[in-house]
Amino acid sequence: MKYISDFLTADEIKSLSGFVPRTREEYQRLNQLAYNLKLNTKIPFTVHIEPTNNCNQTCVMCVHPDMKRSVNAIEEDVAMKAINECAEFGVYATHFFFFGEPFMNRKTIDYIKYAKEKGIPLVSVTTNLTTIKDSEIERLVTDGLDSIHISFEGRDRENYAKIRGTDSYERVIRNLDRLLYYKEKHGRKNPWVSMTYVRTSETDEEIAEYQEKWRDRVNHFHISPQFDYIGRAPIRKEQADPNSGSIMDRDQKDRLPCRQLWLRLVVLSNGELVPCSQNIDGELSVGNIKDMTIAEAWQNEKMAALRGQHITNSIPKSCVCSDCIDWDWSGRVDDRQKLGRTDIQQLLRNS
């Protein structure tokens, strides 16, 4: 047998739990193993840092307009502490985004530079690319940003405005052109560029049309199913069910533990630490980075209790997770190689 159903020794499991990925391949493999084996890892492999929870758009599929948290920018000391800990602990990926447009905080560009100077292997950002300045676009290239994810439901201008609530279609295209220009000017392959599109009511044909339109200009497309956000997104008021694109399992009776509890931690702009990329109000906070480290939060009793509730499918009704139907998405990769014991042993030998 070649898959992870094979027995692993205690020493192998301990080694995996303490493994610090150094390459993208190791990072992807460890993400897969951490969830499948429910590893008690020392740190999350991915940390999101929220520069601000302010946003200039009102997307129909986003719950941001219903946010209960106060709008603010992350304190510089908090951001620097988070970046320093990611570098010190060996967090592979640091992502400057959560609920908000990151470049509405003018310090975000400096945080990205500092993260690369600290040696974090993968530094990325998700942005609607509407508020960024031209000088900042050039710095994304020269400061070493690894990847940029552009939120752009851009089949056409009319569709863009309908979905995102602003008429910024031409501005995004102009800023994308500038990004590509600066990559060529400085002879850089990075940042790797991905266009992200949240599927709401679009047909497969419409998605294909969108991809064909931008295929020659970007490295990747991320076509996401629509999240439910516990029914809070504006578009959910007119839908019977969210459009999961036949990708997500939404069976509540036999639901599985949420992947996110073993893969990532989010530093909110107010310093609260949450393990869920859909937890807009921060109810799932397991602590505040002002009072503890990222590693301490990842290993504390609150996180352990939450994981246990998910493993046993005994989530209390008082927990925001109980009504969530988005548990089968984050971290999922359908075409990834299955890992067997031989693969795991090879990974450990290379450590």
Side-chain angles (χ1 to χ4, degrees), residues 19-21 23-24 26-32 34-35 41-50 82-83 85-87 89-98 120-126 147 149 259-268 273-277 286 289 294-295 297-298 303 307 330-333 336:
F19 191 93
V20 176
T23 67
R24 185 177 183 85
E26 290 179 351
Y27 165 70
Q28 291 177 328
R29 288 190 172 195
L30 261 293
N31 270 315
Q32 184 177 345
Y35 175 70
T41 59
K42 305 301 181 186
I43 55 169
F45 301 126
T46 301
V47 169
H48 291 244
I49 300 174
E50 182 182 65
I83 295 168
E85 288 181 5
C86 287
F89 299 146
V91 172
Y92 183 82
T94 300
H95 193 50
F96 288 96
F97 171 75
F98 189 51
I120 295 173
L122 178 61
V123 176
S124 63
V125 66
T126 293
S147 65
H149 306 262
R259 287 177 173 82
Q260 303 195 59
L261 301 180
W262 284 267
L263 302 182
R264 70 184 69 196
L265 198 64
V266 180
V267 184
L268 298 183
L273 297 161
V274 300
C276 172
S277 63
V286 295
I289 196 172
I294 288 172
W298 191 244
M303 275 295 296
R307 290 178 182 133
S330 294
R332 173 173 174 166
V333 179
R336 186 170 295 168

Side-chain angles (χ1 to χ4, degrees), residues 11-27:
D11 285 342
E12 287 171 337
I13 293 175
K14 287 179 182 178
S15 295
L16 285 172
S17 296
F19 191 93
V20 176
R22 299 159 302 178
T23 67
R24 185 177 183 85
E25 182 182 12
E26 290 179 351
Y27 165 70

Side-chain angles (χ1 to χ4, degrees), residues 187-219:
R188 302 287 183 89
K189 293 183 177 179
N190 288 341
W192 181 84
V193 181
S194 177
M195 297 281 267
T196 67
Y197 195 116
V198 177
R199 183 192 293 264
T200 51
S201 60
E202 290 75 15
T203 64
D204 289 341
E205 290 75 18
E206 289 171 323
I207 294 295
E209 177 187 340
Y210 165 81
Q211 292 175 311
E212 185 61 32
K213 186 170 185 176
W214 303 107
R215 190 177 307 281
D216 294 335
R217 307 177 72 186
V218 300
N219 301 103

